[in-house]
Amino acid sequence: LGGDESGLMEMMVPMIRSAVGHVKGYGMGVRLDGPAAMVEQTLAVYMPDGKVGLTELVDVQTPRADLPAFIAPSTVTCAAINFKFNQLMDTVNKIVAANPLLQMQAAEGLAMVDQPLRQITATLGNQVYIATSLTRPLTETSSKGVMAVQCTNPQEFENLLAGFAAQVGIEARDFLGQRIYTMPADAMPMMMPGMEGGAGESASIGIGGGFVIVGETPSVEQALRATSQTGAATLESDDAFKRAVAVLGSDPAVAWGYTDTINQMEAQLFVIKAQQAQMVEELREFAPEAADEMAKDNEETLKMFNAIDFDLLRKHIGPSVWRVQSIDDGFLMNSFTLAAAPKWAWGS
């Protein structure tokens, strides 16, 4: 701060601390070939002055519960997070009040949305699930994700959403006895930053099974379909998932997650390669020489990606899990990457 002649950082410190609390230190450890996993990582966040702002909103510990019906066996990543939605607006107002610059820029707009957002968050519970599924053969759209928030008063949430949807032209319809609101792909980032429709896909908000579910329309429809079925298989039935979460045990946590490590890595690299190729072709339309240069620059990266033998990796590297726990003076995160199951490690 001493070298900041503008004084901007000094002004920002109260806002940062009101947003996340005073973090006085971090600690990290790595263990290889331990009794529980081939790689174990530990990260500690030291907050002796207590949790404030956003860190207070996630300071809700619960035992790991059974997964909801829409997290299917085809899921390659899932995360469960606790979040105090009913305290969100109080926290946001405190953060804005702690910084004069934010007050000047956001106070008026915040006052306008405060009451509507309080009405919406009052209908939500504390549980959030984020899940990504994968289909083969791999394409740019093989990976599909949804975010689901527990809804304790679905009728009131729908009443509030219906009023807003009517103003902006979002289509409402019934789906298997549940409700779904669909919007064009380009409208989703404005409403839910980070949730974008791919390849021109429309996006939807679904209400059913005790959740508000957000994502691309086919994924939301499939999630609602799963919530309406009795006894449908979930990721809980997968042997790799069961083996991985057994490492976490049943200790309460503020968040935890699972990843099918190599399948997720393969899908991500496939998308990166497809995006690079698309960027080259789009550039070629108006700058052919620059496109050729970009393609040449990408060659080494593509060569490295294409050299990866994912089948070989699957024989040795298994799933990964992580959890975040609240402790008296901060947070503790543990992550575990397991070795592959014996049938892979010793198979032909």
Side-chain angles (χ1 to χ4, degrees):
L1 295 179
D4 179 26
E5 296 181 359
S6 69
L8 180 60
M9 285 302 299
E10 187 174 355
M11 291 179 62
M12 294 294 289
V13 167
M15 185 192 72
I16 295 172
R17 289 186 177 171
S18 67
V20 298
H22 189 182
V23 177
K24 290 192 173 182
Y26 302 89
M28 184 175 181
V30 178
R31 179 177 182 176
L32 303 178
D33 199 23
M38 61 187 295
V39 181
E40 302 177 27
Q41 299 181 73
T42 302
L43 174 66
V45 180
Y46 182 51
M47 303 175 65
D49 297 335
K51 304 173 182 73
V52 176
L54 298 178
T55 56
E56 186 178 17
L57 292 180
V58 298
D59 191 20
V60 184
Q61 297 214 110
T62 56
R64 185 176 62 82
D66 290 342
L67 293 174
F70 53 81
I71 301 185
S74 60
T75 300
V76 290
T77 68
C78 71
I81 305 162
N82 292 330
F83 191 87
K84 301 176 185 176
F85 282 98
N86 62 341
Q87 297 181 21
L88 176 61
M89 293 312 300
D90 288 338
T91 300
V92 172
N93 280 302
K94 288 179 183 177
I95 294 172
V96 171
N99 186 272
L101 185 61
L102 273 182
Q103 281 184 313
M104 291 181 358
Q105 295 178 338
E108 185 176 348
L110 184 60
M112 292 176 61
V113 301
D114 183 88
Q115 190 58 33
L117 289 179
R118 285 182 187 276
Q119 291 176 322
I120 291 174
T121 55
T123 70
L124 304 177
N126 290 338
Q127 297 178 344
V128 180
Y129 289 94
I130 303 171
T132 305
S133 61
L134 187 66
T135 57
R136 291 183 181 273
L138 290 179
T139 68
E140 294 91 332
T141 59
S142 288
S143 184
K144 300 286 188 181
V146 295
M147 180 178 71
V149 180
Q150 182 187 25
C151 187
T152 55
N153 191 340
Q155 186 59 61
E156 179 61 18
F157 179 89
E158 183 178 348
N159 292 341
L160 294 167
L161 179 59
F164 172 77
Q167 298 176 31
V168 297
I170 296 175
E171 175 191 354
R173 57 190 169 92
D174 288 325
F175 184 82
L176 300 177
Q178 304 178 94
R179 294 291 282 174
I180 190 168
Y181 290 77
T182 301
M183 66 204 80
D186 57 2
M188 197 58 183
M190 293 186 293
M191 290 190 60
M192 294 282 185
M195 299 293 292
E196 301 186 11
E201 191 69 73
S202 64
S204 290
I205 301 174
I207 306 167
F211 289 91
V212 173
I213 304 169
V214 181
E216 294 180 7
T217 299
S219 300
V220 174
E221 289 178 345
Q222 180 55 36
L224 292 177
R225 189 177 293 113
T227 63
S228 66
Q229 296 173 348
T230 302
T234 70
L235 186 60
E236 299 271 5
S237 64
D238 182 80
D239 289 338
F241 175 83
K242 288 189 284 189
R243 189 167 68 94
V245 296
V247 175
L248 298 179
S250 57
D251 292 340
V254 301
W256 66 273
Y258 164 86
T259 301
D260 183 340
T261 312
I262 303 305
N263 282 332
Q264 173 67 358
M265 181 190 302
E266 184 180 15
Q268 286 179 330
L269 292 184
F270 185 95
V271 170
I272 291 173
K273 290 192 294 183
Q275 289 175 340
Q276 287 182 338
Q278 182 180 355
M279 288 173 61
V280 170
E281 292 308 310
E282 290 177 350
L283 182 61
R284 194 179 303 282
E285 293 182 6
F286 58 89
E289 292 183 2
D292 290 339
E293 188 67 26
M294 179 182 287
K296 186 176 181 181
D297 292 341
N298 290 343
E299 283 181 3
E300 287 301 315
T301 303
L302 291 174
K303 187 182 297 183
M304 179 183 68
F305 287 170
N306 292 331
I308 298 174
D309 187 339
F310 291 103
D311 289 333
L312 177 62
L313 293 178
R314 270 185 281 267
K315 289 184 178 182
H316 298 281
I317 302 175
S320 304
V321 287
W322 57 269
R323 72 174 171 218
V324 178
Q325 294 176 295
S326 178
I327 54 180
D328 290 341
D329 51 7
F331 292 96
L332 181 66
M333 179 177 180
N334 302 100
S335 67
F336 306 86
T337 300
L338 281 63
K343 66 177 181 179
W344 275 111
W346 304 109
S348 57

